[in-house]
Amino acid sequence: LNYVDGVTSAVQTQLDTKAALTADQSWSGSQRGTVSDVGTKTANFDFDLNTSNNFKITIGANAKEFGFTNIASSVGQSGTIEVVNGAYTLQYGTEIHFVGGTPPTLTQSATSFLAYYVPSSSVVFVQHMLNVKAQS
């Protein structure tokens, strides 16, 4: 029993040491985030920041508004949203702050990207890249 307790204690010490990534880390491989495709939305929709960093959404009808949830627990998080716009107008939640203070008008029937960063428990900064397409 003492041997098992000693091994268990040693393993727990290693887990505690490895689990606390409090120092700067250097990664040798590429880092990727899964894209969470939330599908086609036809009503208001909030991106849950506890589920992913990167999202894809297709606007299927006049979604009156989209925004974010779990902002308070996501301070420091950043990511992207691919927006496939099916020729519908989109509005944004009051927690979203755009560069220059003016929400973008997404190009209809095009793909756009929104890059976001959460600086505080109630604000999400967003920068837009509209009508993204291949070079001609």
Side-chain angles (χ1 to χ4, degrees):
L1 190 61
N2 287 341
Y3 175 75
V4 172
D5 289 342
V7 170
T8 301
S9 177
V11 168
Q12 186 61 52
T13 299
Q14 287 296 314
L15 288 173
D16 291 344
T17 302
K18 300 298 181 191
L21 296 176
T22 56
D24 292 342
Q25 302 298 311
S26 177
W27 308 102
S28 58
S30 299
Q31 304 302 306
R32 296 172 183 83
T34 301
V35 176
S36 177
D37 189 339
V38 297
T40 300
K41 300 301 174 190
T42 58
N44 293 356
F45 181 77
D46 287 324
F47 295 97
D48 183 347
L49 295 178
N50 284 346
T51 63
S52 187
N53 287 58
N54 303 305
F55 301 91
K56 178 180 179 179
I57 186 171
T58 301
I59 306 302
N62 265 344
K64 302 294 185 238
E65 179 177 296
F66 85 62
F68 296 90
T69 60
N70 293 312
I71 299 167
S73 61
S74 301
V75 173
Q77 180 172 321
S78 61
T80 61
I81 302 170
E82 177 183 358
V83 181
V84 180
N85 187 356
Y88 297 102
T89 301
L90 188 62
Q91 295 179 351
Y92 307 92
T94 57
E95 73 280 6
I96 300 175
H97 294 223
F98 288 98
V99 174
T102 303
T105 300
L106 298 180
T107 306
Q108 294 188 351
S109 300
T111 297
S112 297
F113 286 87
L114 304 175
Y116 72 87
Y117 172 71
V118 183
S120 75
S121 63
S122 61
V123 172
V124 180
F125 291 154
V126 176
Q127 174 64 49
H128 53 278
M129 297 165 270
L130 305 178
N131 196 15
V132 178
K133 55 189 170 187
Q135 298 180 66
S136 54

